[in-house]
Amino acid sequence: MYTMNPTKPVILTGVRANNDIHIGNYFGAILPIVDMAKRRSADFDINLFIPDLHSFTTPIDHSKLYDSILNNARIYTAAGLPLDNQAIHLYRQSRVPAHSELAWILDCFTGFGEMSRMTQFKDKSDKLHGDQISVGLFNYPVLMAADILLYNATYVPVGDDQTQHLEFTRDIAERMNRKFGELFTVPKPVAEQHQFFGKDQGLRIKDLANPTKKMSKSDDTGKGVIFLGDDPQAAHKKIMSATTDSLGKVQYDRENQPGISNLLEILTLVRQDAGRDVTLEQTISEFTGMERYGDFKRIVADETAEFLTNFQARLAAVDEPAIEAKLQSSEQAMNLVANQTLHRVQKAVGLRR
Ligand code: ADP
Ligand code: TRP
């Protein structure tokens, strides 16, 4: 069994359990996290967790949840996460009960008005009606704060849509510290986090059918989205019918040729995934000036289909027992760390001596 090293600072992040992971999530979130974990694990403890309790803040098909939780761990593994690295902890939120317990305590120190200002709640609840809008969706950021504060995390790499939640985490930690003494490590301010994670933040793959929009699983038609589980031939077709422009010349120009620019980016990413040492600049110079979009698209489509074939083979070949063992040992270790924090808080609020 291993534990966290108390002198090492902690980087913590979670990606929601979901079976519909698309190449935007993969190249924009999962791969950067895996790379970061590999690069930083000498100096940091890396907590990668699956926020499975967050999975049903909006309605889902519960018969698929268990499998999609494991699928998250499989995808990290297929993306290259080294399971034998003792500084990387891979665990399910629901297997560390302290998350829920701390969330309840923090709930009681969180203002209703403060939660009401969270824009993600407004965005998500706008798309639901009546009792579909749960109290869980409303106070989800409080659980997220507990996820972070239990482990004294200093760095929390998340997308822009989570910035407000991270700020809330800092606020509640500071408020509790003022009231009860030094209880929590306050995560670094968001600007400092951006500086620390640098280039990992910016990447945005666009929807193939509508390249001014980001690729997103909430796209209704699915025509512009390539999911990791797509049949490679179907993905090939999606790229062949990707929206381009009438300028008739391949150029990297996000403003005037968003479709072509997006394809240049996708091509670079799938080539990098295949182990080729290429930059976007090199891809751009290879194709700039090409006049037949059909030929260009075919190259992108072929290589993307090849990426999917390879990825799906990697996914099918992951070592299931090793993943299960990793989850179990991380969860055992994380319960120890999380309970230490929880007990400190329980003492502070008067639940324990
Ligand atoms: P979706 O928009 O498909 O619902 P999420 O909001 O669940 O995706 O995002 C999960 C993670 O994937 C986030 O870290 C987000 O920044 C990243 N991500 C989502 N869409 C893209 C995209 N099109 N390009 C790059 N990264 C993305
Ligand atoms: N809310 C995050 C998302 O939707 C997932 C998440 C839950 C998370 N708890 C977290 C991310 C703690 C970082 C830290 O993407």
Side-chain angles (χ1 to χ4, degrees):
M1 226 231 350
Y2 59 94
T3 52
M4 285 173 73
N5 177 345
T7 59
K8 256 169 120 188
V10 175
I11 299 177
L12 177 147
T13 195
V15 175
R16 283 215 271 167
N18 199 310
N19 268 333
D20 301 333
I21 293 182
H22 53 73
I23 59 171
N25 303 138
Y26 182 73
F27 290 115
I30 291 169
L31 262 196
I33 287 173
V34 170
D35 285 346
M36 177 279 291
K38 288 199 268 197
R39 270 186 291 117
R40 305 279 192 181
S41 61
D43 305 315
F44 290 85
D45 260 296
I46 313 286
N47 284 27
L48 273 189
F49 79 105
I50 303 169
D52 52 358
L53 293 170
H54 279 116
S55 301
F56 43 95
T57 50
T58 54
I60 59 159
D61 177 353
H62 289 268
S63 68
K64 300 207 173 107
L65 181 59
Y66 191 85
D67 193 54
S68 76
I69 293 166
L70 282 184
N71 206 40
N72 259 41
R74 292 188 193 107
I75 286 176
Y76 274 122
T77 309
L81 188 75
L83 296 178
D84 57 355
N85 184 321
Q86 302 288 296
I88 299 175
H89 313 288
L90 181 67
Y91 57 101
R92 292 161 285 199
Q93 180 187 39
S94 64
R95 302 304 171 101
V96 186
H99 289 245
S100 312
E101 297 191 26
L102 181 60
W104 173 257
I105 296 175
L106 297 180
D107 268 342
C108 300
F109 296 88
T110 301
F112 186 81
E114 185 178 24
M115 263 313 94
S116 307
R117 285 193 293 275
M118 295 293 150
T119 57
Q120 194 176 63
F121 172 72
K122 291 183 202 160
D123 293 346
K124 294 206 169 179
S125 57
D126 275 352
K127 295 184 190 116
L128 301 166
H129 35 261
D131 285 346
Q132 280 187 325
I133 307 171
S134 68
V135 176
L137 180 64
F138 182 70
N139 69 355
Y140 156 149
V142 180
L143 179 57
M144 179 161 163
D147 299 336
I148 297 168
L149 298 176
L150 279 173
Y151 303 95
N152 309 308
T154 41
Y155 289 105
V156 185
V158 286
D160 285 343
D161 58 331
Q162 300 298 316
T163 302
Q164 206 184 9
H165 301 160
L166 201 52
E167 265 154 8
F168 165 72
T169 304
R170 287 175 39 79
D171 289 346
I172 184 121
E174 281 170 351
R175 191 179 323 145
M176 298 291 279
N177 285 352
R178 270 197 305 277
K179 194 168 168 70
F180 296 109
E182 287 306 301
L183 274 185
F184 296 122
T185 301
V186 182
K188 300 279 186 204
V190 173
E192 231 175 284
Q193 306 243 6
H194 282 305
Q195 231 170 15
F196 182 77
F197 293 109
K199 67 178 175 52
D200 293 352
Q201 303 276 336
L203 178 78
R204 275 287 169 268
I205 292 191
K206 304 294 186 186
D207 186 280
L208 296 170
N210 181 359
T212 54
K213 251 183 44 188
K214 82 166 187 130
M215 188 177 283
S216 171
K217 63 177 165 289
S218 39
D219 170 60
D220 316 320
T221 67
K223 271 188 355 203
V225 183
I226 294 181
F227 293 101
L228 292 181
D230 275 356
D231 167 48
Q233 282 321 306
H236 196 280
K237 285 210 186 83
K238 287 182 192 174
I239 292 187
M240 290 310 290
S241 45
T243 302
T244 50
D245 53 69
S246 54
L247 294 172
K249 219 177 211 153
V250 171
Q251 284 180 108
Y252 187 76
D253 179 348
R254 293 223 76 138
E255 187 90 348
N256 301 307
Q257 298 182 253
I260 291 290
S261 305
N262 192 39
L263 293 177
L264 284 164
E265 292 193 11
I266 291 173
L267 181 59
T268 308
L269 292 165
V270 298
R271 285 183 165 181
Q272 287 170 346
D273 193 84
R276 287 172 60 178
D277 188 17
V278 288
T279 61
L280 176 61
E281 286 66 32
Q282 285 167 335
T283 313
I284 295 171
S285 64
E286 183 179 340
F287 292 97
T288 296
M290 191 164 168
E291 287 177 0
R292 292 160 62 145
Y293 283 174
D295 292 348
F296 171 60
K297 280 177 165 178
R298 186 156 298 107
I299 294 170
V300 182
D302 286 348
E303 296 193 27
T304 304
E306 202 177 302
F307 157 73
L308 288 175
T309 305
N310 289 336
F311 181 80
Q312 289 165 8
R314 281 191 334 246
L315 192 62
V318 294
D319 183 346
E320 298 276 345
I323 292 176
E324 198 57 55
K326 178 72 177 182
L327 288 169
Q328 303 244 347
S329 64
S330 289
E331 284 158 7
Q332 202 174 2
M334 293 305 103
N335 269 295
L336 294 177
V337 181
N339 282 339
Q340 269 182 12
T341 308
L342 180 65
H343 287 192
R344 197 159 71 229
V345 177
Q346 288 173 328
K347 239 166 125 171
V349 300
L351 293 168
R352 274 181 198 272
R353 267 207 211 287

